[in-house]
Amino acid sequence: MTDSVRIAAWNVNSLKVRLPHVLRWLQDQEKVKKPIDALCLQELKLTDDKYPHQELEEAGYLSLAAGQKTYNGVAIIVRKAALAPIASDSATTFLKPVRNIPGYEDEQQRILAATIPFAGMPPMRLISAYFPNGQSPDSDKFIYKLNWLNALQAWLAQELEQSPRLALLGDFNIAPADVDVHDPKAWEGQNLVSPPERDAFQALIGLGLHDSFRMFEQAPKTFSWWDYRMMGFRRNAGMRIDHILLSDALKEKCSGSIVDKEPRTWEQPSDHAPVIAQIKKS
């Protein structure tokens, strides 16, 4: 039994297209004896009936998914070997599941939560989240984003009371500070970096959550998303908009947090790279 679990988030920008990448990445992590025990996916872009449960289960993983045609969609994938003996199928692995923000009417599939009984440690509440993009600060989509963020904050306050061991993982579509932007001056006042969005991010921190990446010394200009256009990745013209926020109880157990850029170098990649946090069991 390993002494820690590794949790990750990855906006795959179409699971139908990127399933081979997901399987390859999970297998690569296994080979170096640092398996990913839970992976939260965003932007599945497929309906529940098209979700590749069988392929992932054959690779050793159970899934909970909330899909949507063409857009959005989130999932939580858990490594079967990392689970407590009581967990043997989806019903006993994904406890207290929640799909979307309770009390907030929204047809877009952006939130999926479940409590996972990992072996050798107390259960962990994982929330896979795909925050709205917002388009631009003068658009209706931006208003939707801010309303959604307010609803998320209110719900998370309740979740943290019930589940002190909580992690919020996903594509936040918010770069929290200028250090998370390749060219802050060029982006000033735009979507993803505007003051209202950054204030909303800080409001999540104010609930008692912690940006796992910033808990450790990191290389400068480390990003998680690069535009496909203008050779964004080659120039490292990116942003850090994918995050893993940890509750106080998990912060104390976190021993590392990184961005894995390698899958972004593969052929036909997602425009996002996976982000990972390591949580000690004791």
Side-chain angles (χ1 to χ4, degrees):
M1 184 187 297
T2 58
D3 61 356
S4 61
V5 299
R6 296 177 89 217
I7 59 176
W10 192 2
N11 178 325
V12 290
N13 191 13
S14 174
L15 185 56
K16 181 179 179 180
V17 175
R18 240 68 67 178
L19 178 61
H21 283 202
V22 171
L23 293 172
R24 174 183 171 184
W25 187 65
L26 291 172
Q27 289 162 1
D28 285 353
Q29 299 298 307
E30 293 259 10
K31 287 175 185 173
V32 295
K33 297 183 180 179
K34 293 182 178 179
I36 300 298
D37 299 299
L39 172 59
C40 292
L41 298 180
Q42 296 83 45
E43 269 203 279
L44 304 182
K45 294 185 177 179
L46 45 72
T47 50
D48 289 347
D49 60 311
K50 305 289 187 187
Y51 186 89
H53 285 282
Q54 184 175 343
E55 292 92 330
L56 285 159
E57 185 150 7
E58 287 172 355
Y61 297 83
L62 294 172
S63 298
L64 185 68
Q68 181 179 340
K69 187 178 181 180
T70 310
Y71 299 107
N72 309 316
V74 284
I76 303 174
I77 298 171
V78 177
R79 190 170 70 98
K80 287 189 278 187
L83 293 167
I86 59 165
S88 58
D89 56 20
S90 291
T92 54
T93 296
F94 301 101
L95 307 176
K96 299 180 182 177
V98 171
R99 184 168 175 157
N100 280 340
I101 301 171
Y104 183 75
E105 274 194 48
D106 191 5
E107 294 179 356
Q108 301 186 30
Q109 301 301 316
R110 295 187 174 278
I111 288 286
L112 191 61
T115 298
I116 311 299
F118 291 112
M121 68 191 307
M124 191 185 302
R125 185 73 168 167
L126 300 181
I127 303 174
S128 180
Y130 179 40
F131 288 37
N133 179 277
Q135 196 173 60
S136 66
D138 59 354
S139 70
D140 290 343
K141 290 182 178 179
F142 193 80
I143 295 170
Y144 161 68
K145 181 175 189 174
L146 295 184
N147 289 338
W148 188 92
L149 286 165
N150 285 334
L152 176 70
Q153 181 188 350
W155 172 63
L156 279 175
Q158 299 171 8
E159 283 285 301
L160 282 163
E161 287 183 6
Q162 299 168 16
S163 304
R165 290 172 53 84
L166 181 147
L168 176 67
L169 310 89
D171 175 1
F172 285 42
N173 272 312
I174 300 172
D178 283 355
V179 69
D180 301 306
V181 183
H182 68 95
D183 187 347
K185 200 68 182 171
W187 278 85
E188 192 172 352
Q190 293 190 49
N191 190 43
L192 309 183
V193 304
S194 72
E197 293 165 285
R198 287 181 168 176
D199 288 348
F201 186 93
Q202 290 306 316
L204 297 177
I205 300 298
L207 292 174
L209 295 173
H210 306 270
D211 182 350
S212 62
F213 186 79
R214 290 293 171 216
M215 288 165 50
F216 304 92
E217 186 174 343
Q218 305 288 359
K221 294 192 177 295
T222 299
F223 307 125
S224 66
W225 169 83
W226 302 261
D227 200 318
Y228 287 128
R229 300 167 294 183
M230 306 284 290
M231 296 187 294
F233 184 67
R234 189 179 298 181
R235 297 187 297 115
N236 197 30
M239 288 190 176
R240 191 176 71 93
I241 58 175
D242 302 88
H243 309 290
I244 299 177
L245 301 190
L246 302 175
S247 64
D248 288 334
L250 292 185
K251 177 197 175 188
E252 293 176 5
K253 302 291 185 182
C254 186
S255 58
S257 183
I258 63 169
V259 178
D260 185 357
K261 291 168 58 175
E262 186 184 347
R264 187 62 172 81
T265 68
W266 297 345
E267 193 172 340
Q268 284 194 304
S270 168
D271 45 353
H272 296 253
V275 294
I276 307 168
Q278 184 159 306
I279 311 295
K280 293 181 291 186
K281 291 184 177 180
S282 59

